[in-house]
Amino acid sequence: MAVADKDRKKRLVGYVVRKGNYDRANVITFLKSKLPDYMVPTLWVELDNIPLTSNGKIDRKALPEFNTEEQIKEQYIAPRTDSEKLLVEIWEDVLKVNNVGITHDFFDLGGHSLLAVQIVNQIKKKTGKVLPISILFKYSNIELLDAFLNEEGTEREDKALIPIKPTGSKMPMYFVHGVGLNVMNFADLASALDEDQPLYGLQALGLGGKFHPMTDLSEIAKTYVSEIIEHNPTGPYAIGGYSLGGFIALEMRRQFELMNKEVRVLAIIDTNADHTDDFIALLPKKLKRHSIKWLKLLLSFATQPGKTIQTQKSIKLEDKAYRYDAIKLAKESGDKDYYNLMKNIRDNYYSAFKKSKIAPFDGFVYLFRAATCIHYTNDKQYLGWSKYALKGVKEIELPGDHRTMLLKPNADQFARALQKVLDDHK
């Protein structure tokens, strides 16, 4: 089962009744021979018997609670090889924790995107291997990551499709990255969805070091669609795009329908349909937005100078801790080659985006919009989508701004709204 701890982080837990010569390590080895690594439980609870309902089914609500922190301590397994020892040193240095075992989970240890980019950067410096930061979704402990790094083939590094929350029997949701290129910013949202709701992300191609420029948005969308179909051949499909990803998701919807495949949900996440780079067109909107912003800030400073200064400092700290922008993260890593790779990928995607045009389409859009609008638009309610989605737009306002709407605690409300949409179309 996927079980939430006190911080509402979900992990896969195995409940087991001992029988005969039961050995946990042997069970894990067996499961790994039958299942993808991300479907093998990392925590185990031993029971005298499995609780049942009056109908003879497993009573999941009656399964005992347990102390996650104690489980992690109990499950410490020391590194066995030089490569595992190297990864332990990197994790302990970056995560600032001691006694990291090879089965301890990156996210359980407090990992997030800023720390993930430091880990992959250290791996690159010490092994020469370039990894996307989302690799830690698939291989979230040292044992799995080390096995991956020691494989001969590295073709999986450049896959776009990333399993963020792969377990569950409901219709999967596929989210396309924004201008930050990676999909780490969907982690909080995934953890707040129903236990039975799978969520996958589509990251930009090339983050694993094998960058192949693509010239237009339709080519990018075609690659993403092909990976989704390889994973889920028959559908139906629920797709969404965040920021820049909204335009890619729209093109993906078009391509799915050309193949006579059903797209039940198209979710647009705070994407401005009327986006423009025309400085002259944007100038009046920018002046209006920023003049109001600075006027409020000056008024706040005049009446409550101390509180205003503290608030601005906390905003800067929060921004540093939760940055999901691949370019900024790469620059902060101090690795020039890594930074140039990220910049080339973004420039390529942005160039393809600028050449694309939205045309009216015979479809419906669920627009998940941040309450604090950062877009320079005359249509703050629908962000311009009402003139393109001919079957209508359902606007869902969520707390936070363009970035924080995906982070806790705002992600909890986002998850509830998204889950209702998905359940209504199951």
Side-chain angles (χ1 to χ4, degrees), residues 125-304:
K125 286 181 177 179
K126 295 181 179 182
T127 69
K129 295 188 177 181
V130 179
L131 302 172
I133 65 174
S134 56
I135 198 73
L136 291 166
F137 273 132
K138 291 186 71 174
Y139 309 105
S140 61
N141 68 44
I142 285 170
E143 184 178 34
L144 298 177
L145 185 59
D146 181 67
F148 172 76
L149 288 170
N150 285 296
E151 287 178 1
E152 290 297 324
T154 57
E155 71 279 357
R156 285 181 293 175
E157 294 178 16
D158 274 347
K159 287 287 188 181
L161 189 66
I162 302 296
I164 300 174
K165 183 179 175 291
T167 56
S169 60
K170 292 186 177 183
M171 176 176 63
M173 181 76 208
Y174 299 92
F175 266 139
V176 182
H177 63 88
V179 291
L181 305 179
N182 72 88
V183 295
M184 290 289 286
N185 52 345
F186 298 126
D188 284 352
L189 177 63
S191 69
L193 289 170
D194 283 1
E195 177 187 317
D196 206 28
Q197 178 61 59
L199 178 69
Y200 293 81
L202 290 145
Q203 69 179 7
L205 291 169
L207 299 186
K210 298 178 181 178
F211 175 47
H212 304 288
M214 288 185 282
T215 58
D216 57 59
L217 219 62
S218 63
E219 188 180 357
I220 294 168
K222 183 179 179 181
T223 303
Y224 293 176
V225 166
S226 68
E227 287 202 28
I228 291 175
I229 291 175
E230 181 183 353
H231 170 257
N232 179 5
T234 58
Y237 302 99
I239 57 176
Y242 169 63
S243 190
L244 166 66
F247 299 102
I248 301 174
L250 178 60
E251 172 60 20
M252 289 168 64
R253 174 195 174 277
R254 187 185 72 84
Q255 293 186 19
F256 272 120
E257 294 205 333
L258 286 175
M259 292 183 280
N260 293 317
K261 292 187 178 292
E262 182 185 5
V263 176
R264 287 190 183 173
V265 174
L266 174 61
I268 300 297
I269 317 302
D270 213 45
T271 304
N272 181 15
D274 293 327
H275 175 80
T276 178
D277 289 325
D278 187 336
F279 178 77
I280 301 301
L282 287 175
L283 185 59
K285 297 174 183 178
K286 285 189 174 186
L287 288 173
K288 180 180 179 181
R289 168 79 58 79
H290 289 294
S291 62
I292 295 172
K293 175 183 173 181
W294 283 105
L295 184 61
K296 288 181 177 179
L297 185 61
L298 288 171
L299 182 61
S300 176
F301 186 78
T303 55
Q304 296 179 300

Side-chain angles (χ1 to χ4, degrees), residues 5 48 54 81 83 95 100 141 166 191 205 296 298 316 387 402 420:
D5 63 15
D48 292 330
S54 58
T81 64
S83 57
L95 296 169
V100 171
N141 68 44
S191 69
L205 291 169
K296 288 181 177 179
L298 288 171
K316 289 185 180 297
K387 60 187 176 186
H402 187 68
K420 184 178 186 310

Side-chain angles (χ1 to χ4, degrees), residues 68-87:
T68 303
E69 287 72 21
E70 289 301 317
Q71 284 272 327
I72 290 174
K73 289 178 184 177
E74 289 174 9
Q75 294 186 20
Y76 173 78
I77 301 176
R80 301 156 297 190
T81 64
D82 289 341
S83 57
E84 286 182 347
K85 289 175 183 176
L86 175 62
L87 289 176

